[in-house]
């Protein structure tokens, strides 16, 4: 006879087994397609399909550059018919993305279990850490390094999570003649690989400082989780969630969330979606969301010395600058030069099989997009503002796109830091030169 305690244990085991099974059920039968377009007409047609069918375009197809599109079981027929009618070639990258999601979860969990005990204080780069872990870590950094680290709260998210960020400065931000560099990640919830890159920057600026000039000459603001509600939702429910978790946009809450990278005050609403259900929904007005207001407000006192602003996204191995309407900022040439320096620094240490970084104006390289954070920063007074698109993995495990393979986490963080450092140094040099000339 089984005891009541054993029954309870079996019951709990069954529950957790079904919870794991149910977790990625939403994605069961979703297929990831590789799309090859012959010309610009085909590219436009495929990209516009996104307005007719609820497909998830991971990479926009261009002649010479295949696109990646995730399509649900229900929408597959309509999608494939449209491709056939237009004569667009495609192949299947992942037949059932749910299997990849399960693989990602297993690999990350195994890596977390096996991780080596760290000899120093800090977060490891073997797995992707959740909001609460990062939040506690930031607090701890503030306590351990009070001489040059301040942990501050930018405000709350839609669901009330505290959004913390670090201010790293040898002069507690009191010296107005020092340049400020701002780094942020996870504005888009599903772009998990971006989190270790800001955590790595923190590690190299606070715990394992090997390049003193970076802390002596620059004041840093680092916000690792800009969109904590969306981020947590991408862990607990919908892995490819991109937006924040704003509700009440439509009666009955049929659709949730604002794309925070369409919500900043930069040509707001001109190249984004007004459809609440779209992944690029811009929100009811510019800066309608607490998560975007937070960024604006924490930078407000430092705008005149904001030498570099970098919003880290994934994926695509790109360094993008403004503007999202195709117009170049007045300092376009300098933006390009510093962008190239950052890209070269990354390319020098990247894995050989990875593509080189591409640098340029967002419209020239990707697409039109309004309300972007880096466009806003550039317009609001930052000397140099960029969006990074970190690489996707595409290794042996077959995980790609937004899916993270633990084997790539530390490398992605390390190589990105090489780019960030190159940018920060160039920005600081330009800033000090300007001060000297005044
Ligand atoms: O579309 C976006 O928001 C970014 N790409 S992503 O795949 N991470 O969603 C690129 C935004 C770049 N925007 C500007 N520089 N304006
Ligand atoms: Zn993004």
């Amino acid at each position: 006879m089984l005891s009541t305690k054993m029954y309870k244990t079996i019951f709990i085991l069954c529950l957790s087994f079904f919870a794991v099974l149910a977790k990625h059920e939403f994605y069961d039968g979703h297929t990831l397609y590789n799309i090859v377009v012959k010309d610009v007409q085909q590219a436009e047609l495929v990209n516009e399909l996104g307005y007719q069918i609820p497909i998830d375009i991971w990479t926009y197809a261009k002649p010479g550059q295949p696109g990646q599109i995730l399509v649900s079981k229900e929408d597959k027929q309509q999608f494939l018919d449209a491709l056939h009618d237009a004569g667009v070639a495609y192949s299947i990258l992942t037949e059932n993305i749910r299997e990849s999601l399960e693989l990602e979860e297993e690999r990350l969990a195994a890596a977390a279990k096996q991780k080596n005990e760290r000899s120093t204080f800090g977060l490891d780069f073997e797995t992707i850490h959740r909001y609460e872990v990062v939040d506690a870590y930031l607090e701890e950094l503030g306590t351990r390094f009070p001489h040059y680290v301040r942990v501050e709260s930018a405000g709350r998210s839609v669901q009330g999570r505290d959004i913390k960020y670090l201010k790293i400065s040898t002069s507690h931000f009191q010296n107005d003649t020092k340049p400020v560099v701002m780094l942020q990640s996870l504005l888009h919830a599903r772009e998990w690989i971006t989190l270790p890159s800001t955590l790595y920057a923190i590690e190299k600026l606070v715990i394992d400082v090997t390049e003193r000039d970076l802390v002596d000459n620059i004041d840093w603001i680092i916000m690792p989780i800009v969109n904590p509600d969306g981020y947590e939702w991408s862990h607990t429910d919908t892995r490819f969630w991109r937006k924040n978790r704003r509700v009440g946009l439509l009666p009955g809450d049929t659709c949730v969330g604002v794309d925070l990278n369409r919500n900043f005050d930069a040509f707001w609403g001109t190249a984004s979606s007004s459809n609440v259900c779209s992944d690029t929904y811009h929100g009811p007005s510019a800066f309608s969301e607490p998560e975007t207001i937070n960024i604006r407000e924490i930078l407000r006192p430092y705008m005149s010395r904001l030498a570099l602003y970098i919003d880290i996204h994934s994926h695509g191995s790109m360094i993008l600058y403004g503007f999202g309407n195709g117009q170049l900022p007045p300092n376009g040439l300098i933006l390009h030069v510093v962008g190239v320096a950052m890209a070269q620094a990354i390319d020098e240490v990247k894995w050989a099989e990875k593509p080189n970084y591409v640098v340029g104006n967002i419209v020239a390289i990707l697409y039109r997009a309004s309300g972007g954070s880096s466009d806003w920063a550039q317009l609001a007074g930052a000397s140099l503002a960029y969006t990074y698109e970190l690489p996707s993995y595409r290794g042996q495990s077959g995980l790609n796109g937004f899916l993270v393979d633990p084997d790539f986490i530390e490398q992605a963080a390390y190589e990105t830091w090489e780019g960030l450092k190159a940018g920060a140094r160039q920005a600081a040099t330009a800033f000090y030169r300007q001060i000297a000339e005044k």
Side-chain angles (χ1 to χ4, degrees):
M1 273 292 273
L2 293 175
S3 69
T4 323
K5 201 172 164 199
M6 281 173 89
Y7 274 122
K8 268 193 189 154
T9 317
I10 291 169
F11 179 68
I12 288 167
L13 278 176
C14 287
L15 268 189
S16 39
F17 176 71
F18 287 115
V20 169
L21 272 190
K23 185 161 170 202
H24 301 300
E25 207 176 284
F26 172 75
Y27 290 106
D28 195 41
H30 276 60
T31 299
L32 186 62
Y33 290 97
N34 189 60
I35 311 292
V36 180
V37 292
K38 281 196 297 239
D39 48 40
V40 182
Q41 281 77 13
Q42 280 200 346
E44 272 169 15
L45 188 136
V46 172
N47 298 336
E48 266 157 34
L49 276 182
Y51 294 105
Q52 295 145 32
I53 316 171
I55 52 177
D56 184 0
I57 305 181
W58 284 13
T59 311
Y60 283 79
K62 277 185 181 175
Q65 186 199 299
Q68 285 180 316
I69 303 186
L70 185 66
V71 188
S72 73
K73 232 182 348 211
E74 294 73 32
D75 298 315
K76 227 172 261 180
Q77 204 47 54
Q78 196 190 350
F79 174 71
L80 295 180
D81 287 348
L83 292 189
H84 283 138
D85 291 349
V88 175
Y90 67 89
S91 58
I92 290 176
L93 281 173
T94 312
E95 177 79 53
N96 186 354
I97 203 81
R98 182 183 182 168
E99 286 165 18
S100 302
L101 290 169
E102 279 158 8
L103 179 66
E104 177 190 56
E105 195 161 335
E106 272 166 36
R107 286 185 58 76
L108 287 172
K113 256 201 211 134
Q114 274 169 15
K115 70 172 188 245
N116 307 320
E117 267 321 302
R118 287 178 59 113
S119 51
T120 52
F121 158 76
L123 287 183
D124 65 84
F125 294 94
E126 266 136 308
T127 191
I128 300 293
H129 300 286
R130 297 285 291 271
Y131 163 80
E132 291 210 339
V133 174
V134 175
D135 189 68
Y137 173 61
L138 297 181
E139 278 294 341
E140 179 75 21
L141 282 164
T143 313
R144 284 189 187 230
F145 303 93
H147 304 304
Y148 54 104
V149 175
R150 290 264 158 92
V151 53
E152 298 208 355
S153 168
R156 302 239 161 216
S157 62
V158 165
Q159 293 178 334
R161 288 189 175 86
D162 193 17
I163 304 180
K164 298 215 175 84
Y165 65 103
L166 291 189
K167 284 166 93 175
I168 303 167
S169 168
T170 50
S171 47
H172 290 307
F173 276 74
Q174 295 304 306
N175 182 351
D176 282 346
T177 63
K178 264 173 128 182
V180 171
V181 172
M182 160 84 176
L183 307 177
Q184 64 182 57
S185 50
L186 287 177
L187 186 70
H188 283 151
R190 63 190 177 182
E191 297 166 9
W192 289 5
I193 194 67
T194 64
L195 175 61
S197 69
T198 42
L199 295 179
Y200 198 91
I202 291 173
E203 168 123 359
K204 295 303 292 175
L205 291 169
V206 178
I207 302 170
D208 178 24
V209 185
T210 48
E211 291 158 282
R212 273 240 61 97
D213 64 304
L214 294 168
V215 251
D216 288 339
N217 301 338
I218 298 168
D219 285 350
W220 297 81
I221 300 180
I222 307 185
M223 187 185 281
I225 308 184
V226 181
N227 172 15
D229 301 345
Y231 178 57
E232 280 300 299
W233 186 253
S234 75
H235 276 277
T236 55
D237 289 77
T238 311
R239 172 65 182 89
F240 300 123
W241 189 259
R242 168 181 164 102
K243 305 189 279 182
N244 74 349
R245 292 295 301 166
R246 162 78 68 200
V247 291
L249 292 160
L250 282 179
D253 284 335
T254 11
C255 288
V256 173
V258 170
D259 181 355
L260 298 174
N261 214 24
R262 300 292 181 276
N263 188 245
F264 285 80
D265 191 7
F267 321 105
W268 182 86
T270 56
S272 51
S273 178
S274 54
N275 175 357
V276 178
C277 300
S278 161
D279 246 354
T280 54
Y281 172 56
H282 48 228
S285 59
F287 284 121
S288 58
E289 304 308 295
E291 296 86 355
T292 51
I293 294 173
N294 287 343
I295 307 267
R296 183 187 64 192
E297 293 310 312
I298 67 168
L299 288 177
R300 194 185 285 281
Y302 307 113
M303 233 46 220
S304 63
R305 57 183 179 114
L306 186 58
L308 179 65
Y309 172 94
I310 300 187
D311 182 17
I312 307 174
H313 288 246
S314 73
H315 55 99
S317 304
M318 292 178 271
I319 292 178
L320 308 169
Y321 51 80
F323 294 116
N325 62 357
Q327 188 194 349
L328 288 166
N331 62 337
L333 186 57
I334 302 169
L335 277 166
H336 195 74
V337 170
V338 176
V340 168
M342 296 193 284
Q344 284 172 333
I346 301 176
D347 289 343
E348 229 164 85
V349 296
K350 72 172 178 61
W351 285 347
E353 67 274 21
K354 290 278 180 193
N356 286 314
Y357 261 75
V358 174
V359 182
N361 167 268
I362 167 167
V363 181
I365 294 198
L366 260 184
Y367 40 62
R368 295 172 68 79
S370 54
S373 72
S374 58
D375 278 9
W376 165 78
Q378 190 70 59
L379 287 166
S383 305
L384 302 164
Y386 298 93
T387 303
Y388 272 33
E389 296 285 350
L390 302 194
S392 69
Y393 175 69
R394 284 172 207 258
Q396 289 215 318
S397 65
L399 295 175
N400 59 16
F402 299 108
L403 293 162
V404 171
D405 189 296
D407 284 356
F408 187 51
I409 297 176
E410 183 149 17
Q411 170 63 25
Y414 154 70
E415 66 180 39
T416 306
W417 178 232
E418 292 301 305
L420 297 172
K421 272 191 307 189
R425 284 196 172 111
Q426 294 243 359
T429 307
F431 180 87
Y432 285 116
R433 196 182 309 126
Q434 262 175 16
I435 286 197
E437 279 165 8
K438 266 188 199 160

